[in-house]
Amino acid sequence: MSKTRARASRYRRAVLGLAAAATAAVLLAQPDARAASRSADPFGERRHQHATNVEKKDLIKMSENKASPGSAEMVAAKTLTTKVLAIGTWTAKATPQTIPAVMPSEAYDTMRLMLAGKIDQWFAKNDGSGAVFLMNVTDSAEAHTLLEKLPLGQADMMTFQLIPVGPLWPLGLLVPAK
């Protein structure tokens, strides 16, 4: 196999792996959406199974491929946390009667975290079930400490799932051999 064909084959596998990983991440993160899509689309389950199979097969190959170009960078990127994704969910203590009293101070303190550079982006979940922050911290414990100090955290009205994230390391497969 020529170098050009081998590189093109590696590129195709990397792109398929990335697409499968992104699809699986979206589907796994939204179980209600996945269930709704299955009921609305009879072929949704079959497509989901195919994406999962491709993901497992290709990601295992990528993680085991130690001789690929940029592999040292890929190994380093796998362990690097550059931000923490914090997905907040209301607790049972957050009711229509208790939330309004806390929200002015919550908004003010959240804005202070943003101005201090600790929160990069913030979002509301479309279903109204909480907030999502992309935080400029490299440690989940630091993110937990900051979020627990917010008024909703102190009142035990919101809990957060903390997900450390870093560089998209499979992109290293696209780097041409030197």
Side-chain angles (χ1 to χ4, degrees):
M1 183 181 271
S2 72
K3 285 184 181 182
T4 305
R5 287 182 60 176
R7 197 174 307 143
S9 177
R10 252 192 335 263
Y11 174 79
R12 278 192 300 280
R13 283 195 312 269
V15 169
L16 286 173
L18 289 172
T23 301
V26 168
L27 290 173
L28 290 174
Q30 300 174 351
D32 295 332
R34 189 173 65 226
S37 69
R38 274 199 300 264
S39 63
D41 181 7
F43 300 109
E45 179 66 25
R46 196 171 313 146
R47 273 185 259 151
H48 174 65
Q49 288 173 348
H50 174 71
T52 303
N53 292 339
V54 170
E55 173 201 4
K56 288 178 185 176
K57 180 176 63 176
D58 289 344
L59 287 180
I60 289 170
K61 283 182 189 175
M62 285 189 285
S63 65
E64 292 174 353
N65 188 359
K66 304 294 184 211
S68 66
S71 63
E73 293 85 356
M74 287 173 52
V75 170
K78 284 183 191 180
T79 61
L80 181 64
T81 297
T82 57
K83 295 187 184 285
V84 172
L85 181 64
I87 303 173
T89 304
W90 296 111
T91 67
K93 289 185 179 182
T95 66
Q97 293 78 27
T98 60
I99 292 172
V102 180
M103 287 311 290
S105 55
E106 177 73 15
Y108 177 78
D109 289 353
T110 304
M111 177 64 81
R112 288 182 57 192
L113 282 179
M114 193 272 303
L115 292 173
K118 295 297 183 179
I119 294 178
D120 184 38
Q121 297 177 38
W122 54 15
F123 305 93
K125 292 190 207 173
N126 286 348
D127 63 0
S129 65
V132 178
F133 301 134
L134 185 58
M135 301 186 71
N136 285 325
V137 295
T138 58
D139 182 26
S140 294
E142 181 183 1
H144 177 75
T145 301
L146 292 169
L147 294 168
E148 285 299 310
K149 287 181 182 176
L150 291 173
L152 288 173
Q154 290 177 356
D156 195 29
M157 291 184 177
M158 186 169 284
T159 59
F160 283 91
Q161 175 188 8
L162 302 173
I163 304 169
V165 296
L168 188 57
W169 61 266
L171 291 178
L173 292 172
L174 303 177
V175 177
K178 294 179 183 177

